[in-house]
Amino acid sequence: MALSIPVVWSDDHRLHDPDAEIWVGIRTPAAETAPRVEAIRDALVAAGADVVPAIRHDDAAIEAVHDSALLSFLASAWQEWERAGLPEDPGQDRVVPYIFPHPGLLGPLAPLVPAATWARPGAFCFDTMTLIGPGTWEAARGAADAALTAADLVSGGRSTVYACCRPPGHHVTRTAYGGSCYLNNAAIAAERLRELGAARVGIVDIDAHHGNGTQSIFWERADVFTGSVHVDPETGWFPHYLGTASETGADAVAGANRNVPLPPGAGDADWVRGVEEIVQAARSNGAEALVLALGVDAAGGDPESPLQVTMDGYREAGRVVVNSGLPCVVVQEGGYDLASIGELVLATLEGMDA
């Protein structure tokens, strides 16, 4: 039987070609590349899925989630970098931050807006690996439009729609980007579902890494529940500084966030239980629709995580989500094993399409 879940797609993702990332000061090959989502699309089309073009949305849909200063920076960062001559001298062909407004540096003082083009990225980016080049903003905007288009379709009556987003987004906060992410597609989709009539929305993040940006954006909100099952950051995994089970939301909305950190090596049983816990918590918080932030980097063999989830685990996670009875926007996050990424996404959607 053909996969009935439509796939929302933007060709603009190809405009973002980071080539490399800077990790512990070393330039290493980029993990978040165009072949990731091309492999996903190929697998889903081969399974009979219909491909729907992403529709351009008004900027207000992005501004509802992200601070205007961040959006202005992202939209102009590459042009400013190029205009300053930095690709020629010192020869850096991507926007890379090098100094950050750390609380230990500033003390009680508010940071200046850096006058130097090469200093400004640190005001908006929290790592050195998330590079900006020609086309990065256009690709990020296309990914957000894919998530918004999927949300429109679900609000219009489709039970499940998959947005094949690239670059991914769940690490981006309201004011800062990082983790190979530039706009928070899952948060944007959730806010769109709210705008179109869902009183409460639940975000279920099953990427191998904590959805810190989504948690941060909705930390003080009761109308968007956020939950994440991921490898325990206290065992040495990104984003390192947060993602523990003790993070439950601001005091006024305690319980509106749920983290399920797992030990390295955890497989299907523990991971699926985590997915079940988060879905149930979303329902208990009154969610009328879900956003599934689908990272398939929890799979055994993925180079970016130590979890050992199988194809069957992903298929079962899909069943858990669809058995909630709630309409769902699926937004692509991580997954870096090109040999398996397409089949893992397909397995998840098959579980939701059963």
Side-chain angles (χ1 to χ4, degrees):
M1 186 174 68
L3 188 69
S4 72
I5 296 171
V7 176
V8 185
W9 175 267
S10 171
D11 283 335
D12 287 348
H13 84 88
R14 300 180 183 122
L15 300 173
H16 174 54
D17 180 17
D19 181 60
E21 55 191 45
I22 310 300
W23 186 73
V24 296
I26 304 298
R27 188 178 180 95
T28 60
E32 202 295 290
T33 59
R36 296 177 58 249
V37 293
E38 301 286 350
I40 294 170
R41 174 177 164 148
D42 288 348
L44 300 185
V45 168
D50 291 331
V51 177
V52 178
I55 297 172
R56 179 75 176 192
H57 284 68
D58 189 85
D59 289 343
I62 314 296
E63 293 164 352
V65 166
H66 292 301
D67 186 78
S68 60
L70 171 63
L71 298 177
S72 177
F73 171 80
L74 289 170
S76 62
W78 170 251
Q79 289 79 6
E80 293 292 332
W81 192 264
E82 195 174 36
R83 192 156 38 242
L86 295 165
E88 292 76 37
D89 182 12
Q92 179 50 268
D93 66 351
R94 295 293 187 274
V95 178
V96 185
Y98 91 101
I99 186 169
F100 302 87
H102 190 283
L105 169 66
L106 297 170
L109 302 177
L112 298 172
V113 176
T117 300
W118 47 91
R120 200 169 302 127
F124 298 99
C125 188
F126 51 75
D127 64 31
T128 62
M129 69 182 185
T130 308
L131 311 188
I132 294 176
T136 296
W137 168 248
E138 291 78 9
R141 195 62 175 75
D145 282 324
L148 287 164
T149 302
D152 291 348
L153 291 170
V154 167
S155 294
R158 297 297 298 251
S159 60
T160 305
V161 180
Y162 169 69
C164 194
C165 294
R166 178 183 178 266
H170 71 149
H171 293 306
V172 187
T173 70
R174 183 170 293 277
T175 59
Y177 70 99
S180 299
C181 304
Y182 303 89
L183 295 172
N184 195 314
N185 307 308
I188 290 166
E191 193 66 31
R192 182 68 169 177
L193 290 171
R194 287 269 302 111
E195 179 190 350
L196 295 176
R200 290 177 179 246
V201 175
I203 300 177
V204 179
D205 191 320
I206 64 173
D207 187 273
H209 306 96
H210 177 235
N212 63 287
T214 314
Q215 172 180 291
S216 172
I217 288 168
F218 297 113
W219 183 252
E220 298 180 341
R221 298 264 298 269
D223 56 354
V224 180
F225 170 84
T226 52
S228 177
V229 55
H230 50 266
V231 62
D232 190 344
E234 293 190 283
T235 62
W237 292 87
F238 192 91
H240 300 290
Y241 293 97
L242 68 174
T244 67
S246 64
E247 299 157 20
T248 60
D251 289 345
V253 296
N257 185 78
R258 178 76 58 89
N259 288 328
V260 183
L262 299 176
D268 288 358
D270 291 337
W271 186 77
V272 171
R273 273 196 296 269
V275 177
E276 291 171 337
E277 180 180 335
I278 292 169
V279 170
Q280 181 55 48
R283 286 179 54 83
S284 297
N285 276 265
E288 297 176 2
L290 296 179
V291 175
L292 176 64
L294 173 58
V296 294
D297 45 359
D302 192 285
E304 300 297 325
S305 117
L307 300 180
Q308 298 295 317
V309 180
T310 69
M311 202 86 68
D312 288 341
Y314 273 97
R315 188 173 288 105
E316 182 59 27
R319 292 192 189 101
V320 169
V321 173
V322 78
N323 286 343
S324 71
L326 299 175
C328 184
V329 174
V330 184
V331 174
Q332 187 61 44
E333 298 290 353
Y336 305 96
D337 178 13
L338 296 181
S340 65
I341 187 171
E343 294 304 315
L344 288 163
V345 172
L346 176 59
T348 309
L349 298 184
E350 285 176 337
M352 301 183 76
D353 206 30

